[in-house]
Amino acid sequence: MADKQGKAQSAPLTPGYLLGRPPTPWPVNHNAWFSAGMNQDKTIPDAGPEDVTHVVMNYVPRYVDLHDWLVVREFVQQAVLDSQPISGDEARRRITIVGMMVAWAHRLAGYDLDRTAIFTLDVIGEWIDQECGHYSLKVRKMYRARLKSISKTINPEFPDVPNETAYQSAWNPDPYSAEELAEVVGWANGQSTAMRRHKALVLLALTVGAGLYTQEVAALKVSDIEVDDDGVLLHVRGEHPREVPVLAEWEGVLRELVANVRPVDPEAFAFAPGRTNKKPNVVTRFVQSSNKGGKVEPMTRRMRATWVVEHIKAGVPPQVIAEAAGMVTLRSFDKWLYHYREFETEEYRCLLRDEMREQKRLSVANKRARKAQRESLRVVDEER
């Protein structure tokens, strides 16, 4: 294609690399595009600022891959229209944010295009945590506030939580207290059948015990669980691949799972083996359908928050927790910092005097020595 001077023009590219694909040319009508002119969000500006429907139906995203947009476009457009934006400018803001979240939730996280599945506190929180870490805290709060407002309008199952603005504290799930966690464990053990009890305990082992996101719980396979003399290690795949050691108190549940399921089907899913659907709604539907009955509601984000905060209280370095949690940047970790515990005077002095660090170094050195000894004994046994 050439301009009036005869110079070749290329179609603008969608930033598909943001979602793991090479850039894709948009099929645009250049004559209409350049003659009308485009605003910053590439919405054709030949209608008044209050024409909400025109803005929504002619919106072309900047931060969503073309292939993904074609799949979610109608779902996003109808959701934004049903949220009743008060002006064209507000409609543009809403469809920009909703489009990014829904494209991520459907293609990467695996949620169905269902308002009750996508417009939830869990999905909003996970998208903010995983995809928006490079934005400032103010922007993340604004995104969260706007998505909550939209969700309250279009999802009849959305919980009644306080409204917030971009300048208020972002909604973060509180970790379970010791008493509340005991209630949640009681919920798991009180399930109506042995199979449901097993699902609930595995869910707790992967969230309270390892801090996985909901979609990671749904996607983890038995073959991703490594059991050895040093404990249980999860090989998490997907968008944030990493290795996560499981808390010792939750290892037994996963050791039993591996022992019983791996000989039969090592590629079975860890949560609810035997299923073929790896979408995260298998987890949310299980929790929603469970016989709760207790005072404390089981929520996967609160389970994960408990894992994060307990490590903070134990003095694990923030960068180590952030890496194991699959956080994009340490900025995502900021919201947890107020949970840092106060140290006793004696412990405080020992820590800064380097005594406790020396103890940790000795402990690590002894552990490596024991592992090397076990490895040498294994080699000797094989040679025999």
Side-chain angles (χ1 to χ4, degrees):
M1 186 176 297
D3 61 13
K4 293 180 179 179
Q5 284 81 31
K7 296 180 180 179
Q9 291 182 337
S10 59
L13 298 179
T14 60
Y17 61 86
L18 293 175
L19 291 177
R21 286 202 185 98
T24 306
W26 283 98
V28 298
N29 181 332
H30 283 268
N31 292 329
W33 188 295
F34 291 115
S35 62
M38 300 297 292
N39 66 15
Q40 189 177 16
D41 284 299
K42 299 182 182 175
T43 306
I44 302 175
D46 50 355
E50 297 302 318
D51 192 346
V52 170
T53 302
H54 180 86
V55 168
V56 170
M57 301 310 293
N58 290 281
Y59 175 79
V60 181
R62 304 171 73 194
Y63 305 117
V64 177
D65 183 87
L66 170 61
H67 300 86
D68 296 330
W69 179 243
L70 293 177
V71 174
V72 305
R73 178 178 57 191
E74 292 184 6
F75 177 83
V76 170
Q77 289 172 335
Q78 195 58 55
V80 172
L81 289 174
D82 290 347
S83 72
Q84 302 175 0
I86 62 174
S87 68
D89 287 340
E90 176 61 19
R92 187 176 296 109
R93 295 187 190 99
R94 292 189 180 193
I95 197 169
T96 299
I97 300 170
V98 171
M100 290 191 294
M101 186 186 77
V102 170
W104 169 85
H106 183 61
R107 186 172 79 83
L108 292 179
Y111 289 92
D112 293 329
L113 291 178
D114 182 328
R115 293 184 186 183
T116 60
I118 290 180
F119 291 96
T120 66
L121 288 174
D122 277 351
V123 175
I124 292 171
E126 292 189 5
W127 177 68
I128 295 289
D129 286 347
Q130 296 187 46
E131 298 298 310
C132 301
H134 56 290
Y135 293 126
S136 68
L137 181 60
K138 179 180 175 181
V139 170
R140 298 201 305 272
K141 289 179 180 179
M142 181 270 290
Y143 279 6
R144 193 190 310 271
R146 187 163 269 116
L147 287 169
K148 280 177 57 182
S149 175
I150 294 169
S151 299
K152 281 184 178 182
T153 304
I154 66 175
N155 179 7
E157 300 179 8
F158 195 81
D160 184 18
V161 293
N163 288 323
E164 65 185 40
T165 70
Y167 301 97
Q168 292 177 316
S169 297
W171 178 85
N172 293 316
D174 289 327
Y176 290 119
S177 65
E179 295 76 16
E180 289 175 326
L181 185 57
E183 283 267 354
V184 174
V185 173
W187 158 80
N189 288 321
Q191 292 297 301
S192 56
T193 66
M195 180 177 294
R196 290 187 66 86
R197 285 193 294 275
H198 179 264
K199 287 182 182 179
L201 289 171
V202 169
L203 174 61
L204 292 181
L206 298 178
T207 53
V208 178
L212 299 195
Y213 288 104
T214 305
Q215 70 264 26
E216 293 172 340
V217 171
L220 191 79
K221 295 185 177 181
V222 174
S223 59
D224 297 325
I225 304 175
E226 179 182 344
V227 178
D228 58 23
D229 294 336
D230 292 325
V232 176
L233 186 68
L234 305 183
H235 298 275
V236 182
R237 310 187 190 282
E239 191 176 1
H240 303 291
R242 61 195 187 278
E243 294 181 347
V244 184
V246 179
L247 282 171
E249 62 187 286
W250 290 103
E251 288 178 351
V253 174
L254 299 181
R255 286 181 184 273
E256 181 181 353
L257 170 71
V258 170
N260 292 334
V261 178
R262 180 171 288 172
V264 180
D265 183 6
E267 294 305 308
F269 290 110
F271 176 80
R275 61 185 166 90
T276 57
N277 175 18
K278 70 174 183 179
K279 294 184 177 180
N281 59 9
V282 300
V283 178
T284 54
R285 285 177 181 172
F286 168 75
V287 175
Q288 291 169 356
S289 67
S290 63
N291 52 328
K292 301 170 186 177
K295 298 178 182 178
V296 181
E297 182 180 1
M299 295 176 59
T300 54
R301 271 179 52 80
R302 290 195 70 186
M303 296 172 190
R304 171 179 158 84
T306 302
W307 175 85
V308 171
V309 170
E310 288 305 310
H311 280 304
I312 290 174
K313 291 180 177 179
V316 179
Q319 64 269 28
V320 174
I321 303 175
E323 173 67 23
M327 296 178 183
V328 178
T329 68
L330 277 177
R331 182 180 289 174
S332 304
F333 191 82
D334 292 347
K335 61 188 177 184
W336 307 112
L337 293 180
Y338 69 92
H339 286 287
Y340 267 115
R341 65 188 176 97
E342 294 183 2
F343 291 93
E344 298 292 337
T345 302
E346 183 178 350
E347 185 181 4
Y348 171 81
R349 291 189 62 179
C350 290
L351 183 64
L352 294 182
R353 189 171 176 264
D354 205 28
E355 290 183 21
M356 297 181 73
R357 291 185 225 175
E358 182 61 26
Q359 292 173 11
K360 289 181 180 179
R361 282 194 289 267
L362 289 173
S363 176
V364 170
N366 291 335
K367 188 174 182 179
R368 288 174 177 169
R370 290 195 301 270
K371 187 173 183 179
Q373 186 179 21
R374 288 196 302 268
E375 183 65 20
S376 62
L377 291 174
R378 185 186 63 79
V379 173
V380 171
D381 289 341
E382 289 178 353
E383 290 177 350
R384 291 178 180 174

